Amino acid sequence: MSTPEETAPYGTGPATPTTAATAAPAKRIRTHHLREMKERGERFSMLTAYEQYAAATFDEAGVEVLLVGDSASNNVYGNDTSLPVTVDELVPLTRAVSRSVRRSLVVGDLPFGSYQASPEQAYLTAVRFMKEGGAHCVKLEGGVEMAPQIRKLTQGGIPVMAHIGFTPQSEHALGGYRVQGRGETGSRVIEDALAVQEAGAFAVVMEMVPGDTAGQVTQQLAIPTIGIGAGPDCDGQVLVWQDAFGLRQGRMARFVKQYADLHAVLLQAARDFDADVKAGTFPGPEHTF
Ligand SMILES: Nc1nc(=O)c2c([nH]1)NC[C@@H]1CN(c3ccc(C(=O)N[C@@H](CCC(=O)O)C(=O)O)cc3)CN21
Ligand SMILES: CC(C)C(=O)C(=O)O
Ligand SMILES: [Mg+2]
């Protein structure tokens, strides 16, 4: 007789990786490992993840960092922008991802309005991602102006990933989806990068920053940089997984490379199922008790 746990078909989380069941226990990625990789001149990868199967698969693939992005606003909840998503909506997704990884570092992305008001607000929000969501660290958007928040969290035992350049939560203030730091404003990106490092951030995302500026920042900083639309000279790269693997349809930002066409695969599978049901060819005898 097997135990209920052994036969439970769902919600098995990281205990049943698809192929790695016999592999040695994976060593968890910690924030200092990313810095050591930078020091050795090695690059690392980051993808968004919002639920169990994507998270477990990317973990198994060797992706070092999984971001439960506030981009769940668009890619899970169907909003047009990242602004409407709430802490109450993101924390359960973070919990799903953190339960599903064996090795990857899980980053909870603090949503718009949940940390900008004060370092205290930021701390209380970040604690929810760590306690209820099981996140290993958090990310927040902003440079010089967010240094007090970054300092407060870091001193309170919560590692912080910063996010500078184009910061989608400020799209209305920035005047739309635009490359940041072209020409004279390049110095702003460098000031922001130095400020977040000084405040204690363990890494920094740079979004839509000219490649040469991102390369300079990467050289100047001791902490790793992670690019999205910031050229090849960052220490790591991040993409939204539904963009990279072709689940999302529509116009993609220039920085997206498409590695698969999951929309086509899923569409065909759904059409085949629908046709089988309508033809009476599913379920067959082998599916019937
Ligand atoms: N699915 C998805 N992918 C993302 O990359 C993403 C989200 N959602 N949601 C939150 C933010 C919004 N982001 C965006 C959204 C649009 C552009 C964009 O349209 N960029 C254009 C304009 C660049 C320019 O000319 O300045 C591009 O062609 O890259 C970029 C980043 C990144 N994040
Ligand atoms: C695009 C990444 C960096 C992000 O912040 C998100 O997915 O929310
Ligand atoms: Mg985000």
Side-chain angles (χ1 to χ4, degrees):
M1 276 297 283
S2 52
T3 64
E5 286 81 354
E6 280 164 351
T7 54
Y10 308 126
T12 46
T16 54
T18 49
T19 60
T22 56
K27 194 178 172 201
R28 244 179 212 304
I29 304 281
R30 305 278 181 181
T31 56
H32 70 269
H33 292 132
L34 302 180
R35 182 153 173 166
E36 289 162 10
M37 288 180 80
K38 176 179 181 127
E39 285 162 5
R40 291 195 298 265
E42 296 170 18
R43 292 188 170 86
F44 59 88
S45 71
M46 171 159 125
L47 283 170
T48 61
Y50 313 105
E51 44 68 48
Q52 176 184 189
Y53 295 117
T57 303
F58 303 158
D59 179 288
E60 186 182 345
V63 174
E64 280 80 9
V65 189
L66 297 188
L67 172 68
V68 186
D70 65 333
S71 56
S73 183
N74 311 70
N75 305 311
V76 174
Y77 293 108
N79 298 306
D80 287 338
T81 72
S82 55
L83 273 66
V85 81
T86 65
V87 174
D88 286 343
E89 288 172 323
L90 288 181
V91 164
L93 308 185
T94 307
R95 178 118 195 106
V97 169
S98 64
R99 286 175 65 114
S100 304
V101 299
R102 301 179 342 134
R103 175 173 178 269
S104 303
L105 183 78
V106 176
V107 187
D109 204 9
L110 305 188
F112 176 60
S114 73
Y115 61 93
Q116 289 92 342
S118 66
E120 291 70 28
Q121 185 201 26
Y123 191 76
L124 294 172
T125 301
V127 163
R128 288 200 58 194
F129 278 82
M130 305 292 283
K131 270 188 195 257
E132 300 169 43
H136 306 141
C137 54
V138 301
K139 180 166 86 56
L140 55 77
E141 295 183 5
V144 171
E145 75 284 7
M146 284 300 143
Q149 275 82 341
I150 296 170
R151 201 167 280 117
K152 173 80 177 172
L153 269 53
T154 305
Q155 287 174 353
I158 301 174
V160 179
M161 178 181 286
H163 181 161
I164 64 173
F166 175 66
T167 46
Q169 293 174 20
S170 307
E171 64 156 276
H172 297 295
L174 296 175
Y177 302 128
R178 286 186 169 165
V179 175
Q180 304 294 309
R182 273 197 177 126
E184 289 139 45
T185 57
S187 60
R188 174 63 204 253
V189 172
I190 295 168
E191 284 162 28
D192 282 339
L194 291 170
V196 300
Q197 168 172 279
E198 169 65 22
F202 75 86
V204 58
V205 169
M206 285 191 280
E207 181 164 352
M208 286 205 288
V209 168
D212 56 349
T213 307
Q216 277 180 42
V217 168
T218 301
Q219 269 198 356
Q220 281 192 39
L221 291 193
I223 62 173
T225 62
I226 305 167
I228 174 165
D233 295 331
C234 299
D235 299 298
Q237 295 290 333
V238 58
L239 285 174
V240 168
W241 82 258
Q242 290 92 341
D243 297 351
F245 305 148
L247 191 58
R248 187 166 82 82
Q249 296 287 285
R251 201 192 140 277
M252 294 295 159
R254 176 171 166 196
F255 54 73
V256 174
K257 178 174 173 180
Q258 197 175 321
Y259 290 86
D261 190 358
L262 291 189
H263 171 76
V265 172
L266 206 54
L267 181 64
Q268 192 56 52
R271 282 181 169 150
D272 291 349
F273 170 72
D274 175 73
D276 263 9
V277 169
K278 287 170 181 164
T281 49
F282 175 82
E286 70 275 32
H287 308 116
T288 304
F289 299 96

